[in-house]
Amino acid sequence: MSETIETWFDQPLVFTIAARHVRGRFVRLGPVLNTIMAAHSYPPVAEKLLAEALVLTVLLGSTLKTEGGQMTLQAQTGGGPVELLVCDYRGGELRGYLKFDAERLAEVGSDPTLFALFGEGFLAITFDQEATGERYQGIVPLEGASIGAAAEHYFEQSEQISSLIKLAARHDAEAGCVAGGMLLQHLPEGEVGRDRLHVRHDLPEWEHAKTIGATLKDEELTDPATSLETLAWRLFHEDEVRIEPGVAVSRGCRCSPDYFAGVLAQFPETERQDMADEQGKIVVDCAFCSRIFPIALDDIASRS
């Protein structure tokens, strides 16, 4: 494993352990995560949930190989205090938003279960391949100790890939919110790198790698003084590990007056008139970045 590369924040580290037929990736979010969080005043429980969901989104979204592809993670809640959780990743651009009932969320405590947060909810993971026009979605119950456990269930059920997902988030007085994660997956011999595969569940090399990966601590994932290469070396130093940096992550809210004007131009003129206020403007509120955009009807009409 190369010692010349150092990956710290806001960039995945992709790794392969060929002898174990294992692939994976690490990521630690810091500055980008805090930029996303700054748009809202999230209480600690909500901040941790969204931070871990954003890390999971990067881990999964960065597996897309086609340019322009997008991965979306959305929680369909079933009566819990969290009303909406949605994150998406496209070409390194990341965004996410959490809507919740503040009073009910305050009652769940500092370390709530998924059921306490979402009720009988479901996790939808969607991959859109822009190059081919293909869309693939898997939906699994929001069960287990964390949103990472629900994602593991998704891989087992929808793609038949044995996986281990570790997520962690904390709030530091100086660095703000820091969150990290690891995705570890098993692939059959000779098939490393393929997308969806049926895997046997009795292979000792996977059980060994999974056992080692499970020893990874939350403190290591969120430690700003430990590079992702160091994490890979600590865990898998018994094996030859091939690593490469992934695409750097940036805040990816796509809101702008031009963007919204283009979207609104697709509506019939009569509907646009009904949406406008007395000043002839349609007010658009972006939930992701918490900004308001008044779009003039004349600007929209020029695009029709």
Side-chain angles (χ1 to χ4, degrees):
M1 185 166 59
S2 171
E3 298 180 358
T4 61
I5 303 173
E6 292 288 349
T7 308
W8 302 90
F9 281 102
D10 301 336
Q11 183 175 20
L13 179 72
V14 182
F15 64 91
T16 304
I17 309 173
R20 304 281 181 188
H21 316 302
V22 165
R23 69 178 178 188
R25 57 198 62 220
F26 292 101
V27 73
R28 182 183 297 124
L29 299 179
V32 167
L33 180 60
N34 281 282
T35 300
I36 294 172
M37 294 292 184
H40 303 273
S41 297
Y42 290 116
V45 170
E47 181 184 82
K48 183 177 186 295
L49 173 62
L50 181 57
E52 292 184 351
L54 287 165
V55 168
L56 178 60
T57 301
V58 175
L59 291 173
L60 303 187
S62 61
T63 64
L64 285 165
K65 297 179 176 62
T66 58
E67 187 175 351
Q70 178 170 308
M71 178 267 168
T72 304
L73 183 150
Q74 183 170 349
Q76 302 174 359
T77 63
V82 177
E83 300 169 10
L84 175 66
L85 168 64
V86 59
C87 305
D88 67 45
Y89 173 99
R90 186 177 69 178
E93 295 183 344
L94 176 68
R95 63 179 182 173
Y97 169 65
L98 187 69
K99 182 180 180 182
F100 57 93
D101 183 315
E103 291 185 3
R104 294 181 62 198
L105 189 66
E107 298 172 355
V108 302
S110 59
D111 190 24
T113 63
L114 286 181
F115 181 80
L117 292 169
F118 296 102
E120 295 182 355
F122 293 84
L123 182 69
I125 298 175
T126 307
F127 290 91
D128 287 294
Q129 304 284 0
E130 184 176 280
T132 62
E134 293 179 316
R135 191 170 195 260
Y136 179 79
Q137 183 179 72
I139 300 176
V140 294
L142 274 166
E143 297 175 346
S146 70
I147 198 168
E152 288 178 5
H153 187 198
Y154 157 80
F155 278 110
E156 288 283 358
Q157 175 179 296
S158 300
E159 302 202 25
Q160 293 80 53
I161 298 179
S162 296
S163 304
L164 173 67
I165 297 174
K166 301 274 287 184
L167 304 172
R170 65 179 177 85
H171 194 96
D172 184 87
E174 296 182 0
C177 189
V178 179
M182 178 188 70
L183 169 65
L184 194 67
Q185 295 184 313
H186 175 258
L187 299 176
E189 185 175 0
E191 300 287 0
V192 173
R194 287 187 56 187
D195 291 329
R196 296 180 190 138
L197 302 159
H198 178 71
V199 220
R200 290 170 52 194
H201 298 280
D202 59 348
L203 295 178
E205 66 266 21
W206 165 244
E207 292 302 324
H208 176 82
K210 181 181 177 181
T211 299
I212 295 298
T215 66
L216 182 63
K217 298 178 181 179
D218 291 356
E219 294 79 6
E220 294 176 292
L221 283 170
T222 60
D223 181 6
T226 304
S227 71
L228 300 184
E229 286 79 12
T230 299
L231 291 185
W233 170 249
R234 284 178 181 173
L235 288 174
F236 306 113
H237 60 272
E238 295 179 356
D239 297 294
E240 179 182 348
V241 183
R242 296 198 299 267
I243 61 172
E244 61 177 309
V247 176
V249 180
S250 62
R251 174 182 172 274
C253 194
R254 297 182 284 277
C255 60
S256 70
D258 286 343
Y259 173 77
F260 287 128
V263 173
L264 292 168
Q266 301 175 31
F267 288 82
E269 183 178 357
T270 53
E271 291 187 23
R272 299 200 299 263
Q273 293 287 346
D274 291 339
M275 289 187 282
D277 60 18
E278 296 178 354
Q279 285 73 43
K281 296 181 179 180
I282 298 176
V283 178
V284 181
D285 183 358
C286 177
F288 287 100
C289 66
S290 194
R291 293 163 62 194
I292 296 175
F293 297 84
I295 314 297
L297 287 175
D298 290 343
D299 292 340
I300 301 170
S302 65
R303 299 168 179 270
S304 303

